[in-house]
Amino acid sequence: MLLGYARRDLYLSDPHIEELKREFSTIAKLEGCTMGPVYVEDPASAPAAFDALVHSASCDEITTVLLPEWRHLALVGNPASIKHQFERVTGAHFLLYDSDP
C-alpha cells in the first residue's frame, strides 16, 4: 500500500486535490499496489496531517509515500531535514510524483 501527502494551500481548489488523489491511485495501480489515504495538510492545523502520516507509515509498515514536490514538506520544516527524519523514524521513503513525465 502507498500513502500520499500534499499541502492544501498549494492547490487552487478541492477539485485539484481530488485530481491529485486520482493520479496517486493510478500510480499505485501501475506499481501493483493499492492507494491508501492521501494526507492533505491544512496550514491552519499543520502539522496534524503530517503527524497522522508518520503514525500510519509506522504502524502499517508502509515503505513509500507519494509526494508532489519537496516544497510540500515546507509547512513542517526544512524539507531535507523532514525527509531524513521521516525516513529514519518510519523506514519509509518519499517518491516524488511528476505529473509531466
Side-chain angles (χ1 to χ4, degrees):
M1 179 168 67
L2 301 179
L3 300 178
Y5 180 79
R7 286 174 49 179
R8 180 172 301 285
D9 62 321
L10 295 179
Y11 292 92
L12 297 174
S13 64
D14 286 341
H16 289 102
I17 294 283
E18 293 307 312
E19 177 62 24
L20 174 72
K21 290 178 180 180
R22 285 190 296 277
E23 291 170 357
F24 278 4
S25 291
T26 299
I27 292 169
K29 287 178 189 170
L30 290 172
E31 295 294 322
C33 300
T34 58
M35 188 66 213
V38 175
Y39 294 89
V40 180
E41 193 74 74
D42 188 316
S45 60
F50 187 79
D51 290 345
L53 171 69
V54 170
H55 178 75
S56 182
S58 298
C59 292
D60 297 332
E61 298 180 14
I62 301 297
T63 60
T64 305
V65 175
L66 296 173
L67 184 70
E69 300 175 63
W70 291 118
R71 68 183 177 145
H72 284 259
L73 298 177
L75 269 179
V76 185
N78 175 284
S81 297
I82 295 302
K83 174 188 180 296
H84 177 72
Q85 181 180 3
F86 178 83
E87 291 173 348
R88 184 179 49 79
V89 169
T90 66
H93 69 278
F94 289 106
L95 176 64
L96 291 182
Y97 160 69
D98 182 2
S99 63
D100 298 318

